[in-house]
Amino acid sequence: MGSEVFILMKSEWALMGIIFLLLFLKVTETIKDNTALFRLTNVLLLLNFVFGFFCNSKGELFSGMYITNDVLVLEKNILNFGTLLISLLSCEWTKTHKNLAEFYILLLSTLLGMFYMLSANHFLMFYLGLELSTIPLAALANFDQDKVKSSEAAVKMALSSAFASGVTLFGISMVYGSMGTLNFAEVPELLNWGPLQIMAFLFLFAGFAFKLSAVPFHLWTADVYEGSPVPVTAYLSVISKGAMVFVLLNVLYNVFRGYEGIWFQVLFITIIVTIIVGNLFALRQENIKRFLAFSSIAQVGYILLGICSGNAGGAAATLYFIIVYIFSNLGAFTVVALVSAKTGKENINDYRGFYASNPALGWVMALSLFSLAGVPPTAGFFGKMFLVTAGASTGSYILVSIAALNMVVSLYYYLRVVKAMFVEKSDAPIEKLSFGMAPKVAMAICVIGIVTIGFAGCLLEYITNLFQ
Amino acid sequence: MGVSELIFYILAATIIGNAVLAVTSRKIFRSAIYLLFSLIGIAGLYFYMNYEFIAAVQVVVYVGGIVVLIIFSIFLTHEAGNDMKKPSLLRAILAGLASLGAMALVLWTLQMECFMPSDAAAVEPSVNNIGRQMLSTTEHGYLLPFEVVSILLLAAMIGCIVIAIKTRQKA
């Protein structure tokens, strides 16, 4: 132990440092100005992100309860990066908010929970990380305090996630009942194909599916996404989901590896239903946040397609896609956040004639949507291609053909928004928006990411090497 | 049937009977009270198994804390005296079938499973030992989860305060 506690858990310590600094500043009321606090926090988040690349090592702590290795470090860096982007894009929204310090404290607490969940090597730590990454999010969903929909979103999120945690906990208790241990490392030897263990696995998977909002556990998603403030929606759809995908990868590939036959079947059904339902419901949405909610449900289907391959290539493709997904989805959310904060408009019809008044924002939005749809040569195309290739390696061509057909369907609804922005005319278009530096930086990063990442072959190579 | 088994079945009947009453009662306040008895029954089950500490925690946290909280929120939000709407027959049947199905599934699973006896040395579940394990970093030590729980509680408190501030400003 000794200094190891500080070296191995450094990403958690850094986050805790920021949380307690913000708490201290809030309690002593040192910084009263939102702009100053916003700048300070973003500098801290940037430092935190950069710090993630240094002094990395692997090992375990607390008698194997906490582990870290190169893959986990990369995953934490990805999440740090996404959180920084979300913080930048929420600039206009934060200006008017009274409790900005608490917003960041809660946001970073959930990120801390995700870090513990990623590094967990024990079901207890996994469960606590899951709770820490969920409960503060319900409070965050309530942050648009004068809107009823925001409170509704918070209550829905709290109740349905409590139910999902209950299901997960029931699964964990069955794991303990049949194996007598909660340690991830001991589980693979104790798998005996008994009905209790299989049921335990199904319950655990249901908990994951809920957090990922895979169909049929998606019913909370659209309402919560619609009611929450845009930065929280972005966080839910990218960071929360990304962390859960990483943990699911770990649990399926390392803990329940012996049950590959079972989880392939479970994933098979989940993928087909998730992709189809997500796409069909996205077709008929009028609110842009609900639209992005269903689009993100469909994207989860594709992510699970990569996971179900069960090999290192699939894991690498999944990780790579999450990076691509962060750029594409956050690009779209930056524009949505700006429009929502400046005008309060959140319907797709409000975006008519958007290109004429805000050409730059129009292009960012269009590029992000193209990337989400998987149009070459954007990064989304490469991301989806690797996922589908990984899915094809399972030899299940039904799965791959359904996924490919649905990509065409998804093109229709993504292009519907593009058409509204570029082609359609409106009597009352959104006027020219003026905004600060932070969203510009966020958009620039997203656009650069979307355009270049597909051609940066070294990134996928690096990730693949990590998993070998 | 020995006295020990008899006590077990009495406890089980208390738990299940009160749980069913809690769900079927149409006065929400009564539901809360039935839930209270059901939770006390579970505490009794822990006493029956000689887990005094867990039994005490069950009484303090669930009976003392959570049920009181539930009753408070009923008083704050709901018209506690009124009857709740009667559920439709179809709904009641479907809910009954779902519960019975779930119970059958769990029973079947438990019957099919052959439980292995643990070869680990038994630990005396005394408050001393539990306290030591909770703050120890060695094998089976739970210091890290303990600290994560404290962060979780801190975050939950901050979240509550933020939500509560809102109502004060509105008034």
Side-chain angles (χ1 to χ4, degrees):
Chain A
M1 202 65 72
S3 62
E4 269 195 326
V5 183
F6 295 98
I7 298 168
L8 294 180
M9 276 185 20
K10 56 148 197 141
S11 24
E12 284 82 0
W13 284 114
L15 269 186
M16 266 188 272
I18 301 177
I19 292 173
F20 280 99
L21 180 69
L22 288 175
L23 193 60
F24 181 74
L25 290 178
K26 175 73 191 183
V27 173
T28 56
E29 296 189 330
T30 318
I31 301 182
K32 292 206 177 92
D33 180 24
N34 264 2
T35 323
L37 185 62
F38 178 78
R39 281 191 192 137
L40 173 76
T41 319
N42 278 300
V43 171
L44 287 174
L45 284 174
L46 181 66
L47 286 177
N48 177 41
F49 171 61
V50 174
F51 178 54
F53 288 94
F54 299 101
C55 336
N56 289 315
S57 48
K58 50 181 131 184
E60 56 175 51
L61 285 175
F62 297 99
S63 57
M65 217 175 246
Y66 175 98
I67 54 164
T68 181
N69 54 39
D70 293 342
V71 178
L72 291 176
V73 167
L74 176 68
E75 289 170 350
K76 286 176 186 171
N77 284 341
I78 294 173
L79 295 181
N80 268 335
F81 175 67
T83 311
L84 176 64
L85 274 184
I86 287 172
S87 169
L88 288 175
L89 75 82
S90 55
C91 172
E92 296 300 321
W93 178 77
T94 56
K95 276 183 185 158
T96 54
H97 209 284
K98 289 192 194 82
N99 304 314
L100 186 58
E102 285 90 336
F103 171 74
Y104 276 117
I105 292 171
L106 291 173
L107 198 72
L108 295 177
S109 312
T110 63
L111 189 63
L112 184 68
M114 287 165 203
F115 281 10
Y116 276 121
M117 187 163 67
L118 282 173
S119 278
N121 201 27
H122 193 278
F123 276 109
L124 182 62
M125 281 307 295
F126 158 72
Y127 179 73
L128 287 176
L130 183 72
E131 288 295 296
L132 184 53
S133 65
T134 311
I135 294 176
L137 266 179
L140 281 175
N142 198 27
F143 251 68
D144 269 348
Q145 299 181 325
D146 42 348
K147 287 187 191 157
V148 181
K149 278 209 160 162
S150 186
S151 306
E152 184 195 326
V155 172
K156 271 193 178 146
M157 168 112 199
L159 290 180
S160 47
S161 64
F163 182 68
S165 308
V167 170
T168 315
L169 202 56
F170 194 37
I172 293 175
S173 72
M174 285 190 220
V175 168
Y176 191 63
S178 73
M179 301 185 192
T181 180
L182 288 176
N183 202 321
F184 280 179
E186 292 171 31
V187 170
E189 298 158 19
L190 294 164
L191 298 178
N192 61 4
W193 289 83
L196 191 62
Q197 287 188 4
I198 292 172
M199 200 144 100
F201 170 72
L202 289 179
F203 272 92
L204 272 176
F205 183 81
F208 276 106
F210 170 84
K211 283 289 281 182
L212 288 172
S213 55
V215 180
F217 305 95
H218 68 291
L219 294 165
W220 60 282
T221 316
D223 290 338
V224 173
Y225 279 31
E226 186 188 356
S228 309
V230 183
V232 180
T233 312
Y235 190 81
L236 273 169
S237 78
V238 179
I239 307 298
S240 182
K241 226 166 239 192
M244 225 45 211
V245 167
F246 296 151
V247 182
L248 183 65
L249 259 182
N250 181 25
V251 168
L252 291 185
Y253 282 38
N254 298 329
V255 183
F256 285 102
R257 182 51 124 181
Y259 284 167
E260 195 172 342
I262 297 172
W263 55 252
F264 178 72
Q265 287 172 15
V266 174
L267 282 176
F268 183 86
I269 300 166
T270 318
I271 291 166
I272 292 180
V273 195
T274 305
I275 293 182
I276 292 179
V277 171
N279 273 336
L280 290 186
F281 278 84
L283 285 176
R284 44 183 296 228
Q285 297 308 319
E286 289 304 320
N287 180 297
I288 191 121
K289 277 152 87 186
R290 285 183 87 87
F291 162 78
L292 284 169
F294 281 104
S295 119
S296 81
I297 292 176
Q299 303 282 351
V300 164
Y302 292 101
I303 294 173
L304 292 178
L305 184 65
I307 295 180
C308 85
S309 71
N311 51 36
T318 309
L319 212 71
Y320 178 80
F321 185 77
I322 293 285
I323 301 176
V324 172
Y325 180 63
I326 284 181
F327 284 122
S328 334
N329 222 16
L330 289 187
F333 267 113
T334 314
V335 179
V336 175
L338 278 175
V339 173
S340 164
K342 288 280 177 185
T343 65
K345 292 178 176 170
E346 289 183 351
N347 280 332
I348 294 178
N349 284 342
D350 297 332
Y351 282 81
R352 282 185 190 151
F354 187 59
Y355 174 70
S357 55
N358 296 284
L361 289 180
W363 274 114
V364 173
M365 185 79 169
L367 241 156
S368 311
L369 292 175
F370 279 137
S371 182
L372 283 173
V375 177
T378 55
F381 167 71
F382 295 97
K384 282 226 171 107
M385 189 177 76
F386 295 136
L387 284 180
V388 174
T389 320
S393 71
T394 61
S396 170
Y397 293 105
I398 307 174
L399 210 56
V400 174
S401 45
I402 286 181
L405 278 177
N406 271 282
M407 276 191 196
V408 183
V409 178
S410 73
L411 201 58
Y412 169 77
Y413 59 75
Y414 287 121
L415 286 182
R416 193 164 70 102
V417 181
V418 176
K419 179 171 157 250
M421 288 191 305
F422 282 77
V423 181
E424 285 169 20
K425 297 274 183 293
S426 167
D427 305 330
I430 296 168
E431 68 276 25
K432 176 124 186 77
L433 301 175
S434 60
F435 47 88
M437 196 60 202
K440 281 182 193 156
V441 175
M443 276 189 283
I445 294 173
C446 290
V447 168
I448 293 171
I450 292 170
V451 174
T452 58
I453 272 206
F455 300 103
C458 54
L459 182 66
L460 185 67
E461 209 169 288
Y462 172 71
I463 299 174
T464 316
N465 282 335
L466 282 185
F467 278 103
Q468 241 112 47
Chain B
M1 193 156 64
V3 179
S4 172
E5 270 182 56
L6 190 69
I7 294 174
F8 172 78
Y9 282 113
I10 293 174
L11 283 174
T14 321
I15 297 169
I16 296 177
N18 280 304
V20 169
L21 282 173
V23 179
T24 51
S25 165
R26 283 173 51 207
K27 288 206 191 311
I28 191 154
F29 189 74
R30 283 194 189 172
S31 289
I33 302 298
Y34 289 132
L35 184 68
L36 173 80
F37 285 120
S38 183
L39 291 171
I40 290 178
I42 293 175
L45 210 55
Y46 287 134
F47 274 120
Y48 173 79
M49 291 188 290
N50 278 330
Y51 291 144
E52 280 90 5
F53 180 70
I54 302 181
V57 169
Q58 169 82 11
V59 172
V60 171
V61 173
Y62 282 90
V63 180
I66 301 216
V67 171
V68 172
L69 205 67
I70 290 176
I71 292 175
F72 256 116
S73 40
I74 291 172
F75 279 144
L76 284 177
T77 57
H78 207 272
E79 294 166 2
N82 296 2
D83 278 11
M84 281 184 287
K85 238 181 16 197
K86 200 170 182 181
S88 70
L89 188 66
L90 180 72
R91 238 186 191 190
I93 292 173
L94 283 180
L97 280 180
S99 321
L100 283 178
M103 195 169 85
L105 183 68
V106 172
L107 277 179
W108 176 80
T109 319
L110 290 178
Q111 286 293 319
M112 297 291 287
E113 178 78 17
C114 48
F115 288 96
M116 305 293 279
S118 167
D119 51 358
V123 184
E124 175 78 13
S126 65
V127 183
N128 267 351
N129 280 342
I130 292 173
R132 277 212 193 90
Q133 274 204 357
M134 213 179 257
L135 293 179
S136 122
T137 56
T138 50
E139 192 72 24
H140 300 298
Y142 291 94
L143 181 64
L144 183 64
F146 186 82
E147 296 299 337
V148 175
V149 169
S150 6
I151 304 249
L152 172 59
L153 290 178
L154 175 72
M157 267 194 293
I158 295 173
C160 291
I161 292 169
V162 173
I163 295 174
I165 279 177
K166 159 191 147 191
T167 46
R168 209 179 59 197
Q169 284 168 342
K170 255 188 179 175

Short mmCIF file of all heavy atoms in Angstrom, two decimals, chain A residues 2 82 191 240 274 294 344 385 390 402:
data_model
loop_
_atom_site.label_atom_id
_atom_site.label_comp_id
_atom_site.label_asym_id
_atom_site.label_seq_id
_atom_site.Cartn_x
_atom_site.Cartn_y
_atom_site.Cartn_z
N GLY A 2 0.67 2.19 0.88
CA GLY A 2 1.49 3.39 0.95
C GLY A 2 1.24 4.31 -0.23
O GLY A 2 0.10 4.67 -0.50
N GLY A 82 -14.79 13.76 -22.70
CA GLY A 82 -16.19 14.03 -22.99
C GLY A 82 -16.78 15.02 -21.99
O GLY A 82 -17.54 15.92 -22.36
N LEU A 191 -18.29 -20.65 -12.43
CA LEU A 191 -19.49 -20.76 -13.28
C LEU A 191 -19.83 -22.22 -13.46
O LEU A 191 -19.00 -23.02 -13.87
CB LEU A 191 -19.23 -20.10 -14.64
CG LEU A 191 -18.92 -18.62 -14.63
CD1 LEU A 191 -18.64 -18.13 -16.04
CD2 LEU A 191 -20.06 -17.83 -14.04
N SER A 240 -22.55 8.86 -19.63
CA SER A 240 -23.18 7.81 -18.83
C SER A 240 -23.24 6.52 -19.63
O SER A 240 -22.92 5.43 -19.13
CB SER A 240 -24.57 8.32 -18.47
OG SER A 240 -25.24 7.45 -17.68
N THR A 274 -33.57 -3.32 -30.26
CA THR A 274 -33.11 -1.96 -29.97
C THR A 274 -32.96 -1.14 -31.24
O THR A 274 -33.44 -0.01 -31.33
CB THR A 274 -31.77 -2.01 -29.22
OG1 THR A 274 -31.91 -2.81 -28.08
CG2 THR A 274 -31.35 -0.63 -28.80
N PHE A 294 -33.98 8.96 -29.13
CA PHE A 294 -34.23 7.70 -29.86
C PHE A 294 -33.08 7.37 -30.78
O PHE A 294 -32.76 6.20 -31.00
CB PHE A 294 -35.56 7.77 -30.61
CG PHE A 294 -36.73 7.54 -29.70
CD1 PHE A 294 -37.52 8.58 -29.27
CD2 PHE A 294 -37.00 6.26 -29.25
CE1 PHE A 294 -38.58 8.36 -28.42
CE2 PHE A 294 -38.05 6.02 -28.40
CZ PHE A 294 -38.85 7.07 -27.97
N GLY A 344 -34.74 29.15 -26.43
CA GLY A 344 -35.69 28.27 -25.78
C GLY A 344 -36.39 27.35 -26.76
O GLY A 344 -37.30 26.61 -26.38
N MET A 385 -18.61 0.96 -39.55
CA MET A 385 -18.08 -0.12 -40.38
C MET A 385 -17.34 -1.14 -39.52
O MET A 385 -17.54 -2.34 -39.66
CB MET A 385 -17.13 0.47 -41.42
CG MET A 385 -16.70 -0.53 -42.46
SD MET A 385 -15.66 0.22 -43.68
CE MET A 385 -14.13 0.37 -42.81
N ALA A 390 -17.11 -6.34 -36.97
CA ALA A 390 -16.95 -7.18 -35.78
C ALA A 390 -18.16 -8.06 -35.60
O ALA A 390 -18.05 -9.25 -35.27
CB ALA A 390 -16.75 -6.29 -34.54
N ILE A 402 -29.81 -6.88 -40.71
CA ILE A 402 -30.79 -5.99 -40.07
C ILE A 402 -30.13 -4.66 -39.71
O ILE A 402 -30.68 -3.58 -39.95
CB ILE A 402 -31.39 -6.67 -38.83
CG1 ILE A 402 -32.36 -7.76 -39.28
CG2 ILE A 402 -32.12 -5.66 -37.97
CD1 ILE A 402 -33.01 -8.47 -38.14
#
